[in-house]
Amino acid sequence: QVQVVESGGGLVQAGGSLRLSCAASGRTFNSYAMGWFRQAPGKEREFVAAISMSGDRTIYADSGKARFTISRDVAANSVYLHMNSLKPEDTAVYYCAAKLGGVLSTVANLYAYWGQGTQVTVSS
């Protein structure tokens, strides 16, 4: 089992940057692919990015390609989402999630463990 806790959200102006962090606990952290999802008010939760167990493979939603970077510090049991050139439409609660096994997925239901989320607000 894995517990995850997100941090790093906040208010930023359009064009700015934020780094979200996800701290995971559990001895089997390296057995999980990790993903970031987000949910804006009145919208469904959507995939943002995912990274493999070892950190050598990543996938991104089209909305974040070239602006977002997911990374992983295996030794620190942490995953990060670096977000640049933020837009007002990036405003959402961002969630970190863990998926057992190595296959990367954009499907939220395949991720077994979720954090409480961190709010990102981008002002225009």
Side-chain angles (χ1 to χ4, degrees), residues 73-85:
D73 185 336
V74 173
N77 277 14
S78 295
V79 178
Y80 307 98
L81 184 68
H82 301 256
M83 303 186 294
N84 297 318
S85 302

Side-chain angles (χ1 to χ4, degrees), residues 17 23 26-27 36-37 39 44 46 49-50 56 63 68-69 72 76 79 84 86-87 90 97 102 104 107 110 112 121:
S17 300
R27 292 179 295 176
W36 285 97
F37 291 77
Q39 188 166 18
E44 293 188 354
E46 65 175 4
D56 61 339
S63 60
F68 295 176
T69 302
R72 181 171 190 155
V79 178
N84 297 318
L86 283 162
K87 305 173 182 180
D90 293 318
L104 297 182
V107 180
L110 296 181
T121 303

Side-chain angles (χ1 to χ4, degrees), residues 42-115:
K43 295 187 177 181
E44 293 188 354
R45 190 168 297 189
E46 65 175 4
F47 171 76
V48 176
I51 190 165
S52 62
M53 293 185 292
S54 62
D56 61 339
R57 289 176 290 119
T58 58
I59 56 173
Y60 295 91
D62 288 343
S63 60
K65 282 182 180 178
R67 298 189 302 125
F68 295 176
T69 302
I70 188 171
S71 62
R72 181 171 190 155
D73 185 336
V74 173
N77 277 14
S78 295
V79 178
Y80 307 98
L81 184 68
H82 301 256
M83 303 186 294
N84 297 318
S85 302
L86 283 162
K87 305 173 182 180
E89 51 263 45
D90 293 318
T91 295
V93 177
Y94 283 70
Y95 297 90
C96 178
K99 174 188 171 294
L100 186 63
V103 177
L104 297 182
S105 176
T106 65
V107 180
N109 287 345
L110 296 181
Y111 289 77
Y113 303 103
W114 292 79

